Amino acid sequence: MPPHDQSLPLKAHWERVYETKATNAVSWFQEHAGRSLQLIQATGAALSSPLLDVGSGASTLVDDLLASGYSALSVLDLSAAALAASQARLGAERAAQVRWLVADVTEVELPAGAYELWHDRAVFHFLTTAEQRRKYVKVLRGALRPGGHVILATFAEDGPTQCSGLPVVRYRPQELAAELGGAFTLVSHEREAHGTPFGTVQQFLYCHFVRNAS
């Protein structure tokens, strides 16, 4: 993809991506988000627990969560075109079972303690300023109930330095833990070598955190 036009607002950038490219022709595409699904299931969160997938794009994770029996799903993305692609893929009946939120995760107002599980694959690493990350963590801290789970996946320390023409920040587990702060405890972490549709490999880091009771 050509470099990001710095005069183009981020929302317009992502709308253009999803309006002009097939959903399986972007580097982050996964036919199935298997690692995310496994980590969500491993938390032990009940199928009726409210789950939020942040920056979902047109990911098929929501399909697999519905197929697995999860019944209180919310999906958030900056791009309305991305969410429309997911809704079309699911069909009207299944799409109606999901709450769809077009919003910037650093600015959105979510109900306090609304979610038992927060999933983010490949949003946090796009937050390149300390202020963006502070806002994200503030929203996360407010929306996730005590004892709730965070599955956070970013580029690992040896992952790409750019994605979709945008700069990213790469992380080690303890660096992610430091960004989230004392309200969260790092439970586990693992790596994944993600094969892109273009035959390249991107190194991802997946971390599981728990929101502390205090």
Side-chain angles (χ1 to χ4, degrees), residues 115-163:
Y115 301 101
E116 177 72 21
L117 193 145
W118 174 291
H119 172 266
D120 167 0
R121 177 182 180 268
V123 173
F124 194 79
H125 61 214
F126 282 109
L127 307 181
T128 57
T129 71
E131 178 64 9
Q132 288 174 318
R133 296 190 292 272
R134 184 193 67 78
K135 288 181 175 181
Y136 178 107
V137 173
K138 182 180 179 181
V139 173
L140 167 59
R141 196 168 56 237
L144 191 70
R145 60 188 55 167
H149 304 273
V150 182
I151 306 299
L152 185 56
T154 69
F155 286 139
E157 71 270 19
D158 53 347
T161 58
Q162 282 199 329
C163 182

Short mmCIF file of all heavy atoms in Angstrom, two decimals, residues 115-163:
data_model
loop_
_atom_site.label_atom_id
_atom_site.label_comp_id
_atom_site.label_asym_id
_atom_site.label_seq_id
_atom_site.Cartn_x
_atom_site.Cartn_y
_atom_site.Cartn_z
N TYR A 115 -17.98 -4.39 30.09
CA TYR A 115 -17.45 -5.56 29.40
C TYR A 115 -16.67 -6.48 30.33
O TYR A 115 -15.96 -6.03 31.24
CB TYR A 115 -16.58 -5.13 28.22
CG TYR A 115 -17.32 -4.29 27.23
CD1 TYR A 115 -17.18 -2.91 27.20
CD2 TYR A 115 -18.23 -4.88 26.35
CE1 TYR A 115 -17.90 -2.14 26.31
CE2 TYR A 115 -18.96 -4.11 25.46
CZ TYR A 115 -18.79 -2.74 25.44
OH TYR A 115 -19.53 -1.97 24.57
N GLU A 116 -16.81 -7.77 30.05
CA GLU A 116 -16.05 -8.79 30.76
C GLU A 116 -14.74 -9.10 30.04
O GLU A 116 -13.77 -9.52 30.66
CB GLU A 116 -16.89 -10.08 30.86
CG GLU A 116 -16.20 -11.26 31.51
CD GLU A 116 -16.05 -11.08 33.01
OE1 GLU A 116 -16.79 -10.27 33.59
OE2 GLU A 116 -15.18 -11.75 33.59
N LEU A 117 -14.74 -8.87 28.72
CA LEU A 117 -13.54 -9.18 27.94
C LEU A 117 -13.36 -8.15 26.83
O LEU A 117 -14.32 -7.79 26.14
CB LEU A 117 -13.63 -10.58 27.34
CG LEU A 117 -12.31 -11.12 26.77
CD1 LEU A 117 -12.20 -12.62 26.98
CD2 LEU A 117 -12.18 -10.81 25.28
N TRP A 118 -12.13 -7.69 26.70
CA TRP A 118 -11.74 -6.68 25.69
C TRP A 118 -10.69 -7.33 24.81
O TRP A 118 -9.66 -7.81 25.30
CB TRP A 118 -11.16 -5.48 26.43
CG TRP A 118 -10.56 -4.36 25.64
CD1 TRP A 118 -9.40 -4.38 24.92
CD2 TRP A 118 -11.05 -3.01 25.58
NE1 TRP A 118 -9.15 -3.14 24.40
CE2 TRP A 118 -10.14 -2.28 24.79
CE3 TRP A 118 -12.16 -2.36 26.11
CZ2 TRP A 118 -10.31 -0.92 24.52
CZ3 TRP A 118 -12.33 -1.01 25.85
CH2 TRP A 118 -11.42 -0.30 25.05
N HIS A 119 -10.94 -7.38 23.50
CA HIS A 119 -9.99 -7.97 22.56
C HIS A 119 -9.53 -6.91 21.57
O HIS A 119 -10.34 -6.14 21.03
CB HIS A 119 -10.64 -9.12 21.78
CG HIS A 119 -9.77 -9.64 20.66
ND1 HIS A 119 -9.88 -9.18 19.36
CD2 HIS A 119 -8.77 -10.56 20.66
CE1 HIS A 119 -8.99 -9.79 18.61
NE2 HIS A 119 -8.30 -10.63 19.37
N ASP A 120 -8.24 -6.85 21.35
CA ASP A 120 -7.66 -5.90 20.40
C ASP A 120 -6.49 -6.59 19.70
O ASP A 120 -5.46 -6.86 20.32
CB ASP A 120 -7.18 -4.64 21.14
CG ASP A 120 -6.28 -3.73 20.31
OD1 ASP A 120 -5.99 -4.04 19.13
OD2 ASP A 120 -5.84 -2.70 20.85
N ARG A 121 -6.67 -6.88 18.43
CA ARG A 121 -5.56 -7.37 17.61
C ARG A 121 -5.21 -6.28 16.61
O ARG A 121 -5.96 -5.99 15.68
CB ARG A 121 -5.92 -8.66 16.88
CG ARG A 121 -4.79 -9.15 15.95
CD ARG A 121 -5.18 -10.42 15.19
NE ARG A 121 -4.11 -10.88 14.33
CZ ARG A 121 -3.97 -10.52 13.03
NH1 ARG A 121 -4.85 -9.70 12.46
NH2 ARG A 121 -2.97 -10.99 12.31
N ALA A 122 -4.07 -5.64 16.84
CA ALA A 122 -3.47 -4.73 15.86
C ALA A 122 -4.10 -3.35 15.81
O ALA A 122 -4.14 -2.71 14.76
CB ALA A 122 -3.49 -5.36 14.46
N VAL A 123 -4.58 -2.85 16.96
CA VAL A 123 -4.93 -1.43 17.06
C VAL A 123 -3.89 -0.69 17.90
O VAL A 123 -3.37 0.34 17.48
CB VAL A 123 -6.33 -1.23 17.69
CG1 VAL A 123 -6.60 0.26 17.93
CG2 VAL A 123 -7.40 -1.79 16.79
N PHE A 124 -3.57 -1.25 19.07
CA PHE A 124 -2.73 -0.52 20.02
C PHE A 124 -1.39 -0.12 19.41
O PHE A 124 -0.86 0.95 19.72
CB PHE A 124 -2.52 -1.36 21.28
CG PHE A 124 -1.96 -0.58 22.43
CD1 PHE A 124 -2.78 0.23 23.19
CD2 PHE A 124 -0.61 -0.66 22.75
CE1 PHE A 124 -2.26 0.97 24.27
CE2 PHE A 124 -0.09 0.06 23.81
CZ PHE A 124 -0.92 0.88 24.57
N HIS A 125 -0.85 -0.95 18.53
CA HIS A 125 0.47 -0.60 17.99
C HIS A 125 0.44 0.59 17.04
O HIS A 125 1.49 1.13 16.69
CB HIS A 125 1.19 -1.81 17.38
CG HIS A 125 0.52 -2.47 16.23
ND1 HIS A 125 0.60 -3.84 16.03
CD2 HIS A 125 -0.22 -2.01 15.20
CE1 HIS A 125 -0.03 -4.17 14.93
NE2 HIS A 125 -0.55 -3.07 14.42
N PHE A 126 -0.76 1.01 16.61
CA PHE A 126 -0.86 2.22 15.80
C PHE A 126 -0.86 3.51 16.64
O PHE A 126 -0.80 4.61 16.08
CB PHE A 126 -2.14 2.21 14.95
CG PHE A 126 -2.06 1.32 13.73
CD1 PHE A 126 -2.77 0.14 13.66
CD2 PHE A 126 -1.27 1.68 12.65
CE1 PHE A 126 -2.71 -0.68 12.54
CE2 PHE A 126 -1.19 0.87 11.51
CZ PHE A 126 -1.91 -0.31 11.47
N LEU A 127 -0.94 3.38 17.94
CA LEU A 127 -0.97 4.55 18.82
C LEU A 127 0.47 4.95 19.12
O LEU A 127 1.11 4.41 20.02
CB LEU A 127 -1.73 4.23 20.09
CG LEU A 127 -3.15 3.66 19.89
CD1 LEU A 127 -3.81 3.41 21.22
CD2 LEU A 127 -3.99 4.60 19.02
N THR A 128 0.98 5.90 18.36
CA THR A 128 2.41 6.21 18.40
C THR A 128 2.76 7.33 19.37
O THR A 128 3.93 7.61 19.57
CB THR A 128 2.91 6.58 17.00
OG1 THR A 128 2.13 7.68 16.49
CG2 THR A 128 2.78 5.39 16.04
N THR A 129 1.76 7.98 19.97
CA THR A 129 2.05 9.03 20.94
C THR A 129 1.59 8.59 22.33
O THR A 129 0.64 7.82 22.48
CB THR A 129 1.36 10.35 20.58
OG1 THR A 129 -0.06 10.23 20.80
CG2 THR A 129 1.63 10.74 19.14
N ALA A 130 2.28 9.11 23.34
CA ALA A 130 1.91 8.78 24.72
C ALA A 130 0.49 9.23 25.04
O ALA A 130 -0.22 8.56 25.79
CB ALA A 130 2.91 9.43 25.68
N GLU A 131 0.06 10.34 24.46
CA GLU A 131 -1.29 10.83 24.72
C GLU A 131 -2.35 9.90 24.14
O GLU A 131 -3.37 9.63 24.79
CB GLU A 131 -1.45 12.24 24.13
CG GLU A 131 -2.84 12.85 24.30
CD GLU A 131 -3.22 13.10 25.76
OE1 GLU A 131 -2.36 12.96 26.65
OE2 GLU A 131 -4.40 13.42 26.00
N GLN A 132 -2.13 9.38 22.94
CA GLN A 132 -3.07 8.42 22.36
C GLN A 132 -3.19 7.17 23.25
O GLN A 132 -4.29 6.67 23.50
CB GLN A 132 -2.61 8.00 20.97
CG GLN A 132 -2.76 9.05 19.89
CD GLN A 132 -2.14 8.60 18.58
OE1 GLN A 132 -1.05 8.02 18.55
NE2 GLN A 132 -2.84 8.84 17.49
N ARG A 133 -2.04 6.68 23.71
CA ARG A 133 -2.05 5.48 24.54
C ARG A 133 -2.71 5.75 25.89
O ARG A 133 -3.44 4.90 26.43
CB ARG A 133 -0.62 4.95 24.70
CG ARG A 133 -0.01 4.48 23.38
CD ARG A 133 1.28 3.75 23.58
NE ARG A 133 2.36 4.58 24.06
CZ ARG A 133 3.20 5.27 23.29
NH1 ARG A 133 3.05 5.25 21.96
NH2 ARG A 133 4.17 5.99 23.81
N ARG A 134 -2.48 6.93 26.44
CA ARG A 134 -3.12 7.28 27.72
C ARG A 134 -4.64 7.29 27.56
O ARG A 134 -5.36 6.77 28.43
CB ARG A 134 -2.63 8.66 28.18
CG ARG A 134 -3.17 9.07 29.55
CD ARG A 134 -2.94 10.55 29.83
NE ARG A 134 -3.74 11.38 28.93
CZ ARG A 134 -5.05 11.61 29.09
NH1 ARG A 134 -5.71 11.06 30.09
NH2 ARG A 134 -5.68 12.39 28.24
N LYS A 135 -5.13 7.86 26.47
CA LYS A 135 -6.58 7.91 26.24
C LYS A 135 -7.15 6.50 26.07
O LYS A 135 -8.23 6.19 26.58
CB LYS A 135 -6.89 8.76 25.00
CG LYS A 135 -6.67 10.25 25.20
CD LYS A 135 -7.03 11.00 23.92
CE LYS A 135 -6.94 12.50 24.10
NZ LYS A 135 -7.32 13.22 22.84
N TYR A 136 -6.44 5.67 25.33
CA TYR A 136 -6.89 4.28 25.12
C TYR A 136 -7.02 3.57 26.45
O TYR A 136 -8.04 2.92 26.73
CB TYR A 136 -5.88 3.57 24.21
CG TYR A 136 -6.16 2.11 23.93
CD1 TYR A 136 -6.62 1.71 22.68
CD2 TYR A 136 -5.92 1.12 24.88
CE1 TYR A 136 -6.84 0.36 22.39
CE2 TYR A 136 -6.14 -0.22 24.61
CZ TYR A 136 -6.60 -0.59 23.36
OH TYR A 136 -6.83 -1.92 23.08
N VAL A 137 -5.98 3.66 27.28
CA VAL A 137 -5.99 2.95 28.56
C VAL A 137 -7.08 3.50 29.47
O VAL A 137 -7.72 2.74 30.21
CB VAL A 137 -4.60 3.03 29.22
CG1 VAL A 137 -4.63 2.45 30.63
CG2 VAL A 137 -3.57 2.29 28.37
N LYS A 138 -7.34 4.79 29.40
CA LYS A 138 -8.42 5.38 30.20
C LYS A 138 -9.77 4.78 29.80
O LYS A 138 -10.58 4.43 30.67
CB LYS A 138 -8.45 6.89 30.03
CG LYS A 138 -9.52 7.58 30.86
CD LYS A 138 -9.50 9.09 30.67
CE LYS A 138 -10.60 9.76 31.49
NZ LYS A 138 -10.60 11.24 31.28
N VAL A 139 -10.02 4.66 28.50
CA VAL A 139 -11.27 4.06 28.03
C VAL A 139 -11.35 2.59 28.46
O VAL A 139 -12.37 2.12 28.96
CB VAL A 139 -11.40 4.19 26.49
CG1 VAL A 139 -12.61 3.42 25.98
CG2 VAL A 139 -11.51 5.66 26.09
N LEU A 140 -10.26 1.87 28.26
CA LEU A 140 -10.19 0.46 28.66
C LEU A 140 -10.46 0.29 30.15
O LEU A 140 -11.27 -0.56 30.57
CB LEU A 140 -8.82 -0.11 28.29
CG LEU A 140 -8.43 -1.47 28.88
CD1 LEU A 140 -9.42 -2.55 28.46
CD2 LEU A 140 -7.01 -1.83 28.45
N ARG A 141 -9.79 1.07 30.95
CA ARG A 141 -9.92 0.96 32.40
C ARG A 141 -11.36 1.22 32.86
O ARG A 141 -11.87 0.57 33.77
CB ARG A 141 -8.96 1.93 33.08
CG ARG A 141 -8.72 1.66 34.54
CD ARG A 141 -7.55 2.47 35.08
NE ARG A 141 -7.72 3.89 34.84
CZ ARG A 141 -6.86 4.66 34.18
NH1 ARG A 141 -5.78 4.14 33.65
NH2 ARG A 141 -7.09 5.94 34.02
N GLY A 142 -12.02 2.16 32.19
CA GLY A 142 -13.38 2.47 32.56
C GLY A 142 -14.40 1.45 32.09
O GLY A 142 -15.39 1.18 32.78
N ALA A 143 -14.16 0.87 30.92
CA ALA A 143 -15.17 -0.01 30.30
C ALA A 143 -15.08 -1.45 30.76
O ALA A 143 -16.06 -2.19 30.66
CB ALA A 143 -15.03 0.04 28.78
N LEU A 144 -13.91 -1.86 31.26
CA LEU A 144 -13.73 -3.27 31.65
C LEU A 144 -14.00 -3.43 33.14
O LEU A 144 -13.42 -2.73 33.96
CB LEU A 144 -12.31 -3.72 31.32
CG LEU A 144 -12.06 -5.22 31.42
CD1 LEU A 144 -12.77 -5.97 30.28
CD2 LEU A 144 -10.56 -5.52 31.38
N ARG A 145 -14.85 -4.37 33.47
CA ARG A 145 -15.19 -4.58 34.88
C ARG A 145 -14.03 -5.23 35.63
O ARG A 145 -13.19 -5.92 35.03
CB ARG A 145 -16.45 -5.43 34.99
CG ARG A 145 -16.34 -6.81 34.37
CD ARG A 145 -17.65 -7.56 34.32
NE ARG A 145 -18.70 -6.80 33.64
CZ ARG A 145 -19.86 -7.31 33.23
NH1 ARG A 145 -20.14 -8.59 33.43
NH2 ARG A 145 -20.76 -6.55 32.64
N PRO A 146 -13.94 -5.01 36.95
CA PRO A 146 -12.90 -5.67 37.75
C PRO A 146 -12.93 -7.18 37.56
O PRO A 146 -14.00 -7.79 37.53
CB PRO A 146 -13.26 -5.27 39.18
CG PRO A 146 -13.98 -3.96 39.04
CD PRO A 146 -14.77 -4.10 37.76
N GLY A 147 -11.76 -7.77 37.39
CA GLY A 147 -11.66 -9.19 37.12
C GLY A 147 -11.81 -9.54 35.66
O GLY A 147 -11.65 -10.71 35.27
N GLY A 148 -12.09 -8.53 34.83
CA GLY A 148 -12.26 -8.76 33.40
C GLY A 148 -10.92 -9.00 32.70
O GLY A 148 -9.85 -8.75 33.24
N HIS A 149 -11.02 -9.50 31.47
CA HIS A 149 -9.85 -9.94 30.72
C HIS A 149 -9.56 -9.02 29.53
O HIS A 149 -10.49 -8.51 28.89
CB HIS A 149 -10.06 -11.36 30.19
CG HIS A 149 -10.38 -12.35 31.26
ND1 HIS A 149 -9.40 -13.02 31.96
CD2 HIS A 149 -11.57 -12.77 31.78
CE1 HIS A 149 -9.96 -13.81 32.84
NE2 HIS A 149 -11.28 -13.69 32.76
N VAL A 150 -8.29 -8.85 29.23
CA VAL A 150 -7.83 -8.13 28.05
C VAL A 150 -6.95 -9.06 27.23
O VAL A 150 -5.96 -9.60 27.74
CB VAL A 150 -7.01 -6.87 28.42
CG1 VAL A 150 -6.60 -6.12 27.16
CG2 VAL A 150 -7.78 -5.97 29.36
N ILE A 151 -7.30 -9.27 25.97
CA ILE A 151 -6.44 -9.95 25.01
C ILE A 151 -5.92 -8.87 24.07
O ILE A 151 -6.69 -8.29 23.30
CB ILE A 151 -7.18 -11.04 24.22
CG1 ILE A 151 -7.88 -12.03 25.17
CG2 ILE A 151 -6.23 -11.74 23.27
CD1 ILE A 151 -6.95 -12.78 26.08
N LEU A 152 -4.64 -8.58 24.17
CA LEU A 152 -4.05 -7.46 23.43
C LEU A 152 -2.92 -8.00 22.55
O LEU A 152 -1.96 -8.58 23.06
CB LEU A 152 -3.52 -6.42 24.42
CG LEU A 152 -2.96 -5.12 23.88
CD1 LEU A 152 -3.98 -4.41 22.99
CD2 LEU A 152 -2.55 -4.22 25.04
N ALA A 153 -3.05 -7.81 21.24
CA ALA A 153 -2.05 -8.30 20.29
C ALA A 153 -1.48 -7.13 19.50
O ALA A 153 -2.22 -6.34 18.92
CB ALA A 153 -2.67 -9.32 19.34
N THR A 154 -0.16 -7.03 19.52
CA THR A 154 0.55 -5.98 18.80
C THR A 154 1.70 -6.63 18.02
O THR A 154 2.01 -7.80 18.19
CB THR A 154 1.16 -4.95 19.76
OG1 THR A 154 2.22 -5.57 20.50
CG2 THR A 154 0.11 -4.40 20.73
N PHE A 155 2.37 -5.82 17.20
CA PHE A 155 3.61 -6.30 16.60
C PHE A 155 4.64 -6.51 17.70
O PHE A 155 4.76 -5.71 18.64
CB PHE A 155 4.14 -5.30 15.58
CG PHE A 155 3.37 -5.27 14.29
CD1 PHE A 155 3.09 -4.07 13.66
CD2 PHE A 155 2.92 -6.44 13.68
CE1 PHE A 155 2.39 -4.03 12.47
CE2 PHE A 155 2.22 -6.41 12.50
CZ PHE A 155 1.95 -5.19 11.88
N ALA A 156 5.35 -7.62 17.61
CA ALA A 156 6.43 -7.92 18.56
C ALA A 156 7.63 -7.02 18.28
O ALA A 156 7.66 -6.26 17.30
CB ALA A 156 6.81 -9.39 18.45
N GLU A 157 8.64 -7.14 19.15
CA GLU A 157 9.81 -6.25 19.03
C GLU A 157 10.54 -6.43 17.70
O GLU A 157 11.25 -5.52 17.26
CB GLU A 157 10.77 -6.47 20.20
CG GLU A 157 11.53 -7.79 20.18
CD GLU A 157 10.79 -8.89 20.93
OE1 GLU A 157 9.57 -8.76 21.16
OE2 GLU A 157 11.44 -9.89 21.29
N ASP A 158 10.37 -7.57 17.05
CA ASP A 158 10.99 -7.80 15.75
C ASP A 158 9.95 -7.82 14.62
O ASP A 158 10.19 -8.36 13.55
CB ASP A 158 11.78 -9.11 15.75
CG ASP A 158 10.96 -10.31 16.22
OD1 ASP A 158 9.87 -10.09 16.78
OD2 ASP A 158 11.42 -11.45 16.04
N GLY A 159 8.79 -7.21 14.88
CA GLY A 159 7.75 -7.11 13.86
C GLY A 159 7.99 -5.92 12.94
O GLY A 159 9.01 -5.23 13.02
N PRO A 160 7.03 -5.64 12.06
CA PRO A 160 7.16 -4.53 11.12
C PRO A 160 7.25 -3.18 11.82
O PRO A 160 6.76 -3.03 12.95
CB PRO A 160 5.88 -4.62 10.28
CG PRO A 160 5.39 -6.01 10.47
CD PRO A 160 5.79 -6.41 11.85
N THR A 161 7.84 -2.22 11.15
CA THR A 161 7.90 -0.85 11.68
C THR A 161 6.80 0.02 11.09
O THR A 161 6.58 1.14 11.56
CB THR A 161 9.25 -0.20 11.38
OG1 THR A 161 9.47 -0.21 9.95
CG2 THR A 161 10.38 -0.98 12.06
N GLN A 162 6.09 -0.49 10.07
CA GLN A 162 4.97 0.23 9.46
C GLN A 162 3.90 -0.78 9.07
O GLN A 162 4.19 -1.96 8.86
CB GLN A 162 5.40 0.99 8.20
CG GLN A 162 6.12 2.30 8.46
CD GLN A 162 6.08 3.18 7.21
OE1 GLN A 162 6.07 2.69 6.08
NE2 GLN A 162 6.08 4.48 7.41
N CYS A 163 2.66 -0.29 8.97
CA CYS A 163 1.56 -1.10 8.47
C CYS A 163 0.54 -0.19 7.83
O CYS A 163 0.22 0.87 8.37
CB CYS A 163 0.92 -1.89 9.62
SG CYS A 163 -0.43 -2.98 9.11
#
